Amino acid sequence: MDHLQVAAVLEEIATLLELKGENPFKTRAYQQGARVIEKLGADFLRMAEEGRLREIPGIGEALAKKLDELVTTGRLEFHQQLRDEFPPDLLALLKISGLGPKRLRAIHTALGVSTLDELRRACEEDRVAALPGMGNKSQAKILEGIQNLQRYSERFLLYEALSEAEEIRSALEGHPAVQRISIAGSLRRCKETVKDCDLVVATERPEEVMAAFVGLPQVESVIAHGTTKSSVRLENGLQIDLRCVEPFQFPYVLHHFTGSKEHNVAMRQRALRLGLKMNEYGLFRVGKGEEEVLIECADETELFSALGLDFIPPELREDRGEVTAAEEHRLPALVEPGDLHGAFHVHTVWSDGANTLEEMALAARDLGWDYLGIADHSKSSYWANGLSEERLRRQIEEIQGLNERLAPFRIFTGSEVDILADGVLDYPEDLLKDLDYVVISVHQHFSMPEKEMTARMVRAMEHPAVTMLGHLTGRLLLQREPYALDIDAVLDAAANRGVAIELNANPYRLDMDWRVWNRARALGIGCVINPDAHSTAQLAFTQFGVKLARKGWLQAEDVWNTRGLRDVERLLSKRRTWA
Ligand code: DGT
Ligand code: CA
Ligand code: ZN
């Protein structure tokens, strides 16, 4: 058991106690214990081994005893007993957004509902609305939450699927029968979530490739095993489809299965206009006797070229004007991972991060960056150990000291300042003035009506200290929907105030959404690709930000953190517009 698993058991105990309707103090002790253990990291297990759990502040005698049992035996009787008191599917219902333990307990007790299907039926039959303190609105929200949950369960995060797919691709790449292999589908197009993973292989010996594929150690079950197509499922539930084609067919098939469907339709229409025919098997000229003659293409570049088009990067293949742009030679030169010189918005141990200021700075320098902006949480985010004004002042001092030591590397002093419910910022102006830059974000009061939420954001942006907007919509992919927001109104305000917008590169966020960047760019709004890293390892999230920025048609010049240190310093100082 590692420390995170131990923390998860405590979390679950807290939830089960809440479901039971136990005293909140008891519940909180377990939640706090979980936080403490997460913070301790690997030190926790060492201290447990040395019998020193009782020395840890926040862990009392009773909890320490339970932890001893859990760490030494891998299970905890108290936890098992609690679990046995509830039907096994009940806990899963807590994944429904807007349904907490308290209400679930009320529903479970009154209606005997304990599975997702039962709960859906109870909502559809208006039995939930009839419960005291519930009503139609709550019931509708629960129903919507159930639908979202089902939608989420059919997809995977790009991040998760890509690492699995890359592993399989590289395992097969070296196989002697594999001539070419590529990831296709939504994964190749860098969609933020994907339903499955499509692979295309060029080979003259498909049987051998298929046998190797279904025999990979990652494969949990084989869904179909054929010579042209096989499908397998991995342990995490991800389905991988592999298609084998003759080497000469590879470019056409790869293009077809990369999609999107809409892009393919646009391409076929273009082919028709040129008197050609395009399908998944190839691009054809129709000869005199009505016979189809294949137009030979060695790769996708030649395929596009045969249609009079520049190569369209897979990220852009969404039928959003890319075919016309390729025809007119005005596809953007998309931003590349190597273009970044730094990033803003990372957290440290000062708030809820795992690494110190210096560790974060050194890790950024190791990535070849010239600067790093620190943006720990502000005081209202107390659950994330947000900084009091006094602590932020001290942090600024510490950063100044570090900057002297680490020059020419530069740490920018910033803050991820909460946008309070009324649009006021979480620190006073005299403190905000002393920061190099300010990210503003919404972390609470998510369920405001659209008009209020929009006014709140627009008001916050009016503050002259604001440099950039953090994770614009608050969405958590496959977990939580965006809050209600008039994005166009926010874009207008950002353009007017010269506020940049973050592309939060955390794989669960990828927010602002790629579909909106074209509009933002047209308004002259800058993009900042931010890792929102809570550890040194998470600085690597920026690569997903770059992928989604590309998908949003952005070029290096559109992204603030592609600028070198001097340019960024100039950019940030220009923003100081106090009277
Ligand atoms: P996903 O899997 O939902 O994340 O998204 P995709 O785009 O990977 O969709 P998928 O796996 O169903 O199909 C892969 C590609 O195959 C798709 O992007 C385009 C092509 N394709 C599939 N069905 C059709 C179709 O009915 N018409 C056309 N033109 N292309 C299709
Ligand atoms: Ca797919
Ligand atoms: Zn945040």
Side-chain angles (χ1 to χ4, degrees):
M1 245 186 174
D2 66 22
H3 68 282
L4 290 176
Q5 289 167 314
V6 173
V9 170
L10 297 195
E11 261 318 318
E12 191 172 302
I13 292 176
T15 308
L16 289 163
L17 289 173
E18 257 186 297
L19 268 177
K20 254 184 100 163
E22 285 276 4
N23 171 342
F25 290 110
K26 226 170 145 179
T27 312
R28 222 165 293 146
Y30 286 96
Q31 281 164 342
Q32 260 166 21
R35 291 293 87 72
V36 169
I37 292 169
E38 279 166 10
K39 266 235 135 97
L40 280 174
D43 286 344
F44 167 75
L45 289 182
R46 203 164 330 119
M47 294 188 78
E49 239 170 65
E50 295 165 3
R52 290 168 49 212
L53 290 182
R54 284 152 190 84
E55 294 168 24
I56 302 170
I59 294 189
E61 175 59 30
L63 186 54
K65 246 178 98 179
K66 292 199 175 77
L67 287 171
D68 278 334
E69 180 186 336
L70 186 58
V71 171
T72 41
T73 67
R75 64 179 259 139
L76 176 58
E77 194 50 38
F78 175 67
H79 176 223
Q80 298 300 330
Q81 278 174 7
L82 265 177
R83 266 192 160 181
D84 291 342
E85 289 180 41
F86 299 96
D89 292 341
L90 195 68
L91 273 185
L93 301 189
L94 288 171
K95 290 214 181 105
I96 299 168
S97 75
L99 186 62
K102 253 213 217 114
R103 295 168 108 201
L104 178 57
R105 173 179 143 78
I107 295 171
H108 174 63
T109 320
L111 305 176
V113 159
S114 53
T115 67
L116 206 63
D117 279 340
E118 286 169 3
L119 180 57
R120 189 192 317 103
R121 215 166 323 122
C123 287
E124 283 163 1
E125 292 166 1
D126 284 337
R127 284 183 284 136
V128 171
L131 294 176
M134 287 290 189
N136 282 325
K137 233 171 132 181
S138 311
Q139 176 175 280
K141 262 202 99 175
I142 292 174
L143 206 50
E144 193 188 310
I146 294 173
Q147 278 151 5
N148 283 338
L149 201 60
Q150 278 165 341
R151 227 164 17 87
Y152 299 160
S153 71
E154 290 158 8
R155 298 189 75 80
F156 290 80
L157 294 179
L158 171 67
Y159 166 73
E160 201 183 348
L162 196 59
S163 66
E164 300 277 9
E166 287 287 7
E167 225 178 82
I168 291 181
R169 196 193 60 82
S170 56
L172 292 177
E173 193 173 30
H175 192 283
V178 173
Q179 292 190 10
R180 290 159 94 177
I181 179 166
S182 175
I183 293 172
S186 49
L187 206 49
R188 182 163 183 239
R189 302 198 314 277
C190 294
K191 277 285 290 287
E192 65 279 24
T193 66
V194 305
K195 179 192 71 197
D196 54 23
C197 161
D198 308 278
L199 290 171
V200 182
V201 164
T203 179
E204 276 154 357
R205 283 138 51 204
E207 284 88 357
E208 287 174 42
V209 177
M210 288 307 190
F213 174 58
V214 300
L216 287 171
Q218 293 95 328
V219 170
E220 212 211 29
S221 62
V222 178
I223 301 165
H225 183 174
T227 46
T228 53
K229 188 187 164 185
S230 295
S231 297
V232 301
R233 199 173 298 287
L234 308 184
E235 202 182 324
N236 67 356
L238 180 66
Q239 180 176 331
I240 317 262
D241 294 346
L242 177 83
R243 284 178 183 80
C244 283
V245 299
E246 300 232 9
F248 82 89
Q249 289 180 311
F250 187 79
Y252 317 98
V253 176
L254 175 61
H255 176 268
H256 173 83
F257 284 108
T258 296
S260 65
K261 219 191 249 181
E262 294 75 12
H263 165 85
N264 288 353
V265 170
M267 290 286 282
R268 282 169 195 199
Q269 282 167 349
R270 175 159 181 88
L272 283 177
R273 276 201 302 278
L274 298 175
L276 305 174
K277 189 180 156 189
M278 188 181 187
N279 59 31
E280 64 179 282
Y281 306 106
L283 177 66
F284 304 93
R285 189 175 294 116
V286 185
K288 278 204 190 92
E290 294 290 296
E291 81 283 6
E292 290 173 357
V293 185
L294 182 75
I295 299 175
E296 280 176 42
C297 301
D299 53 27
E300 277 189 339
T301 304
E302 289 189 17
L303 176 57
F304 283 115
S305 163
L307 290 166
L309 302 174
D310 291 341
F311 177 82
I312 302 176
E315 296 93 325
L316 300 188
R317 302 184 195 168
E318 300 286 351
D319 191 26
R320 294 165 60 86
E322 72 276 12
V323 175
T324 311
E327 180 188 352
E328 295 168 1
H329 308 297
R330 47 177 189 79
L331 283 171
L334 301 177
V335 57
E336 313 252 359
D339 291 337
L340 297 191
H341 285 273
F344 296 88
H345 194 174
V346 308
H347 297 269
T348 72
V349 288
W350 283 76
S351 67
D352 59 349
N355 292 97
T356 62
L357 281 170
E358 181 164 9
E359 286 163 350
M360 293 304 279
L362 292 178
R365 203 173 63 175
D366 285 346
L367 289 175
W369 291 354
D370 306 321
Y371 52 88
L372 183 69
I374 302 294
D376 271 312
H377 285 287
S378 65
K379 60 180 191 245
S380 288
S381 283
Y382 53 85
W383 59 86
N385 193 23
L387 275 59
S388 65
E389 288 161 37
E390 194 242 315
R391 286 178 66 222
L392 181 53
R393 290 255 177 232
R394 268 195 286 135
Q395 190 188 45
I396 295 174
E397 269 173 41
E398 189 177 322
I399 290 176
Q400 281 161 351
L402 272 174
N403 272 334
E404 279 165 29
R405 278 206 286 126
L406 299 180
F409 187 87
R410 164 104 195 245
I411 306 174
F412 289 109
T413 59
S415 173
E416 181 180 18
V417 179
D418 271 14
I419 302 175
L420 303 180
D422 52 5
V424 169
L425 300 189
D426 197 22
Y427 288 128
E429 181 158 328
D430 66 320
L431 178 52
L432 294 175
K433 250 184 191 167
D434 290 340
L435 294 168
D436 293 323
Y437 75 101
V438 170
V439 190
I440 54 169
S441 305
V442 167
H443 287 126
Q444 49 198 315
H445 302 288
F446 288 130
S447 50
M448 286 182 166
E450 181 178 311
K451 243 175 109 178
E452 275 169 57
M453 186 61 99
T454 307
R456 171 187 183 184
M457 286 242 186
V458 169
R459 174 160 186 214
M461 272 187 284
E462 247 129 56
H463 196 294
V466 175
T467 322
M468 58 188 85
L469 263 178
H471 46 72
L472 179 73
T473 73
R475 74 177 180 191
L476 292 179
L477 294 167
L478 307 182
Q479 279 183 13
R480 186 173 77 199
E481 293 297 293
Y483 34 71
L485 187 67
D486 178 348
I487 290 182
D488 284 318
V490 173
L491 292 186
D492 282 338
N496 286 333
R497 305 293 310 191
V499 169
I501 296 182
E502 163 182 281
L503 201 173
N504 189 301
N506 181 301
Y508 281 94
R509 294 191 183 272
L510 301 175
D511 184 11
M512 180 164 90
D513 190 273
W514 58 271
R515 297 161 187 85
V516 189
W517 283 109
N518 249 346
R519 257 184 286 157
R521 193 171 61 131
L523 290 168
I525 297 169
C527 166
V528 190
I529 299 176
N530 277 333
D532 197 355
H534 286 70
S535 65
T536 50
Q538 289 183 355
L539 289 174
F541 284 166
T542 41
Q543 59 170 306
F544 293 93
V546 173
K547 287 183 201 300
L548 274 290
R550 292 170 62 85
K551 198 158 182 62
W553 292 61
L554 296 185
Q555 315 196 39
E557 65 192 53
D558 305 316
V559 179
W560 280 22
N561 46 324
T562 60
R563 320 240 161 126
L565 179 57
R566 295 294 156 248
D567 283 349
V568 158
E569 280 173 342
R570 220 169 296 131
L571 204 59
L572 295 181
S573 64
K574 242 193 352 213
R575 298 221 57 274
R576 314 221 142 239
T577 51
W578 275 278

